[in-house]
Amino acid sequence: MQDDLPIHGETRVTTEARNDDFVVFDHVQKSYDGVSLVVKDLNLNIGKGEFLTMLGPSGSGKTTCLMMLAGFETATHGEIRLDGRNINLVPPHKRGIGMVFQNYALFPHMTVGENLAFPLEVRGMGKDEREAKIRRALDMVQMGAFANRRPAQLSGGQQQRIALARALVFDPALVLMDEPLGALDKQLREHMQFEIKHLHESLGITVVYVTHDQGEALTMSDRVAVFNDGKIQQLGPPSDLYERPDNSFVAQFIGENNKLPGTIEELSGDKALVRLGTGELIDATPVNVTAKGQKTLVSIRPERVEFKPEMMPAGAHMIDATVLEVIYMGDILRVRLRVAGSDDFVMKMRNTLGQTKLSPGQQIKVGWHPADARALDPM
Amino acid sequence: MTDAYSQLTTADGRPLKAALAAAQARARRRAFLLVAPLLLFVVVTFILPIGQMLQRSVYHDGFSNSAPALGEWFSSHPDGSDFDESAYAALASDLALMKKDKTAGEAGTRINYTVPGTRSLFTSSARGADKLEPPYKEALLALDAKWGEPVIWQAMREASSPWTSDFYLIATDRQRTADGGIERVPENERIYLWLFGKTFILSGVITFLCLILAFPIAHLLATLPMSKSNLLMILVLLPFWTSLLVRTTSWIVLLQGQGVVNNILVSLGVIGDDGRITMIYNQTGTIIVMTHILLPFMVLPLYSVMRTIKPSYARAARSLGATSWTTFRRIYLPQTLPGIGAGALLTFILAVGYYITPALVGGADGQLISNLIQFHMSKSNWSLAAALSAMLLAGVLVLYWLYDRLVGIDKLKLG
């Protein structure tokens, strides 16, 4: 049932080369009440060894997708395939998928060692082999000395490590993680992100990770699927999502973002001229706008906003802005501006030696490289 | 280190410990005053009666009060002494005293407990006691030859002190022999130990049935969405709001020979009209009705424990490769143990002491020990009733102790 995985110097014996459809969601739909769809026609291929994150607000259908993959929910329509095999009717315990739960779900009446032994015992593994595997899994998460503790005696971070070790101890090829770091404090969370990432790399396992924390998604994943309203809004590497969002939802959900509503004035190839509600003209890259006169929402990242004309490309438009507030944040300065009648336009300036000092009330001009402003669908 | 702490003082030089105690004394006094009424109530209505009951089981002054001369004779003549003229003289003077004080019946009753059929010996002998002439031995033996029986003298010796273990002997089917030893009563007279055993076994059966029936319901209650589980909970609690008598008599209506269940079975042709099943006024009736009545006491502790078991445990177990049966056996069931323990303990203790239901539907073979306790109370044999109750209490305490050893009282969850 298990694939042989390269753990601690073992040679990997795979019968097939890395394939790109290790996990396949094929036109999957899910409805709980027969009236509305929680997951609407999901198509997703996950490659072997990939770290894929399902990101989205609560109620977006991401957890439902994970539960369908784990076997705790059945797909209303469509097919889920694991390693080429349709697993729609395979019960959860025969799927051989490791899973890490949000609240860890460590069995409270068992010690750490017994928790880890559980998946091996139900597979009928002998005692010696079991203990070797438990030791290895505990060492992997640096919890070797805790085998005899009860989960209640461990801190949140330690429980998280044990949950991770338990999901990995039976060498599953696929591990699902359902917001595993949600209950940890910020510092520990960031630390665990790296550890999970390293485990993923060193074990060569496939990870499907569910979170609503976009920072977590960006730092850990090979690819991120942004969910909203039961659909994947965009699927791609973190840099694509951040720098080239496909639609307003993705632009807004990931990272900080300035939005300027307007109308397409000119459209030529990869350039668009947008007239804002207050009459100014700005440059943008058309993404999902197709015709002149169309309504659009232009999205610009705060760190890509410039206020020094010498930094702007030739011929680029600049518009008037009033400084409302300068917030000192250490590494950056966050400047809130009034631009085109809106009070929440944000510009981030690096806090470098000799950086121009701005003060509230000051009149400046701001602009950006046309490639950094994306003309998206109006929301 | 502790020395260093004990030398700490407040800013004005008082020892820190004394200052702390003084600062908290007022709050502590107020807290005590708040619980004082309840404490008083519990002492008056619970601790005192139980103490009284325990005392009655080893104390009966019905004979010792009315027979001072014999008491004196017994204390100056150790066990095994010959019952000579002086003993009979003491007996004669006591009988005369009994006649004067009209206490012969009371004294006879006390001796009657240990040697049945002797109450009339005292009442009839006391009637002419003031006319007895020495030698008293011949006179009394002439009055009734039973006065020569060593068993009666042994019983009087035992009863001459108000403190006695006689009632525990009776409650454990034992009696005193003529020479002061202890033996079991003849086989056909042994009832108490057998009834204790039956009570415990029946309670065990009822507890087990309750557990089997309550477990799925409690699980359903714990996993259904709140709106549905509330309705179900009301159905579970409904019996609590109905009079016990009403519930019990409803079962009589259902289960009796011409009752609903038998009628349905007959009309369906499952049984013939002459083959109606006896389901009430026997042990079966006791088991059925008590299981029904005690069911909520099993459901509630189970429910309160199951509600805290997150569904992710079962999911985790399934994802780790366990079948649903293994998941239940190794993950779910162990986590419900505190609830099973609490429910079983509660149900069992209630069943062991249950009285009304077996009295109403138990018939002859469905009676439990509490019915016998009630019987002795109605016959004013308070001491024997107290001894039986004390044994019941001891049995329950042993169970409690066992539970503590096996599961731990701190894990007990009653809801």
Side-chain angles (χ1 to χ4, degrees), chain A residues 334-345:
Chain A
R334 196 165 181 278
V335 185
R336 194 158 65 83
L337 304 167
R338 178 179 298 137
V339 171
S342 140
D343 278 353
D344 53 6
F345 194 95

Side-chain angles (χ1 to χ4, degrees), chain B residues 384-408:
Chain B
L384 183 54
L388 289 168
S389 307
M391 283 170 67
L392 198 56
L393 180 66
V396 168
L397 287 178
V398 165
L399 275 175
Y400 207 67
W401 173 79
L402 263 179
Y403 180 87
D404 188 31
R405 287 293 302 272
L406 297 177
V407 187

Side-chain angles (χ1 to χ4, degrees), chain A residues 3-4 12-17 48:
Chain A
D3 290 72
D4 292 302
R12 185 171 187 170
V13 191
T14 39
T15 49
E16 56 198 316
K48 194 159 191 155

Side-chain angles (χ1 to χ4, degrees), chain A residues 99 101 103-123 130 133-135 137-138 146-154 158-159 161-170, chain B residues 312-314 316-322 330-331 335:
Chain A
M99 184 148 182
F101 292 84
N103 49 22
Y104 320 132
L106 294 175
F107 307 135
H109 59 294
M110 296 182 180
T111 64
V112 165
E114 285 163 350
N115 262 286
L116 263 71
F118 185 79
L120 307 176
E121 275 168 23
V122 298
R123 286 173 169 74
R130 234 161 45 205
K133 274 187 183 283
I134 292 169
R135 183 134 305 285
L138 282 179
F146 292 83
N148 293 319
R149 300 274 191 97
R150 298 243 166 206
Q153 297 170 300
L154 303 177
Q158 289 170 329
Q159 291 188 32
R161 284 161 193 267
I162 300 303
L164 203 56
R166 189 179 65 178
L168 294 170
V169 70
F170 60 100
Chain B
S312 64
Y313 290 129
R318 296 301 305 276
S319 81
L320 291 169
R330 293 206 43 203
I331 305 302
Q335 293 192 65

Side-chain angles (χ1 to χ4, degrees), chain A residues 256-260 298-302 305 344-347:
Chain A
E256 205 176 359
N257 190 45
N258 291 310
K259 294 168 299 235
L260 295 172
V298 179
S299 140
I300 312 122
R301 295 287 179 202
V305 178
D344 53 6
F345 194 95
V346 174
M347 172 173 75

Side-chain angles (χ1 to χ4, degrees), chain B residues 4 8 16 34 49 64-65 111 113 128 189 213 219 224 235:
Chain B
L8 281 178
L16 195 58
L34 277 175
S64 57
N65 263 359
I111 303 302
Y113 288 147
E189 289 174 25
L213 294 174
H219 179 75
L224 274 182
L235 294 180

